[in-house]
Structure formats: structure tokens, C-alpha cells
Amino acid sequence: MRHSKNSKGFSLVELIIVIAVLVALVAVIAPAYLRYVQRSHDSVLQSSAEEVLSVVRSEFALGNLQITDTEPGTVTVKKGSDTHIVVLLSDNLSFIPDNHEPSENMDADFMLACGVDTSKEIKSNKIFTITIIKKDSDVDINKPHEADISMDVEEDDG
């Protein structure tokens, strides 16, 4: 193969073409990567919310989680102000742990019962709301009730 003496590398046109191809590749790959990262952030919170849902079902069936009036009760699972997971009980829910007397902070007691890992940093803006609707209208908080328990998810705008 012959090379001329004046050939000292790539021409400007060749460099511009290579840069344009790289920019096009990044434009195609970057959004897919960002969606992948967001899904992984969401899955951490969703996994925790599903664990809380399981605990809500069992604690409600055992009578440890009780609705104190006729309105549906809600348990909210989301990212707190310090970027760690928080589990919040609505005002009409009471949680009485099996092992000990309830403390001043029922939310903390319930998070402890759920085994929520509060050390994980949460980067998802999703809010998982678990709704408990009693099937009967009896408000006797001393006995367990049957209920429809479901979980919904929404984006946090704030």
C-alpha cells in the first residue's frame, strides 16, 4: 500500500463524520439508559411497597392493624424528605404490635414490623398507597375484619 508523503492523519471531513456518528449513537442510547436507571430506582421502592402490602394484609387479618372508624384506611409508602423510605399510616389506622406496647410513633412501629430497610437511599418519586376498605360496617376495633386491600401507585409532583 502506498502512502503519499503529505498524508499525516485524518482529514477534517473524516473527523466531522466520526463525531456526527458518535453524537447520533449517544442521542439514541442515552434515553434508553436513563429509562433503565429510573426503572431500577422505582423497583427498589416498589419492592419495599410490596413487602409492606404483605405485612398490611397479615397484620390486619391478625387484628394488630385496625381501622378506627368507617372510612377506608391508607398506608403510604414513599421517599421521605431525607431520601429514605417512609411508611405513613392514615389517622384512622392504629397499629398495636404483638410483642410490645405501642410507642408514641405508630408509623415507626409499623415500619419496624414491616422490616423496611431505612438505610437504602430512595431516588424514586413514586408514591404507593395501600387502601384498606372493611367489608362490614362494624367499627369494633377489638376484632379482626375482612377487608379489600389494594395498592395504587402515582408520581409525586413535588
Side-chain angles (χ1 to χ4, degrees):
M1 216 171 149
R2 277 189 182 177
H3 294 283
S4 69
K5 290 181 181 180
N6 295 334
S7 177
K8 295 183 180 179
F10 299 107
S11 70
L12 182 59
V13 172
E14 291 170 329
L15 287 174
I16 290 174
I17 290 171
V18 168
I19 290 172
V21 168
L22 289 175
V23 166
L25 283 173
V26 168
V28 169
I29 293 172
Y33 175 73
L34 292 175
R35 282 191 304 273
Y36 169 77
V37 169
Q38 187 59 47
R39 275 195 315 267
S40 71
H41 292 317
D42 292 346
S43 70
V44 170
L45 186 58
Q46 181 174 353
S47 173
S48 294
E50 288 170 354
E51 289 174 24
V52 170
L53 176 62
S54 176
V55 172
V56 164
R57 286 185 172 136
S58 65
E59 293 294 335
F60 191 81
L62 292 171
N64 297 339
L65 183 63
Q66 302 167 350
I67 298 176
T68 58
D69 61 25
T70 58
E71 295 297 314
T74 59
V75 178
T76 305
V77 182
K78 65 180 187 170
K79 172 177 72 173
S81 59
D82 64 350
T83 71
H84 292 89
I85 192 169
V86 293
V87 178
L88 305 170
L89 301 175
S90 61
D91 291 338
N92 64 335
L93 281 178
S94 66
F95 177 67
I96 301 152
D98 273 338
N99 303 347
H100 61 284
E101 290 295 316
S103 69
E104 294 288 322
N105 189 346
M106 265 194 296
D107 294 336
D109 287 342
F110 190 70
M111 281 179 56
L112 185 64
C114 290
V116 173
D117 184 359
T118 58
S119 66
K120 290 181 184 174
E121 186 174 330
I122 303 296
K123 296 181 181 177
S124 174
N125 289 326
K126 294 199 182 290
I127 298 174
F128 291 86
T129 304
I130 300 167
T131 305
I132 307 166
I133 302 171
K134 286 196 292 187
K135 289 184 179 179
D136 58 19
S137 60
D138 188 8
V139 202
D140 180 10
I141 63 171
N142 295 317
K143 67 174 190 171
H145 300 275
E146 288 189 29
D148 289 322
I149 301 175
S150 62
M151 184 166 66
D152 295 312
V153 61
E154 62 185 64
E155 280 290 325
D156 184 10
D157 296 334

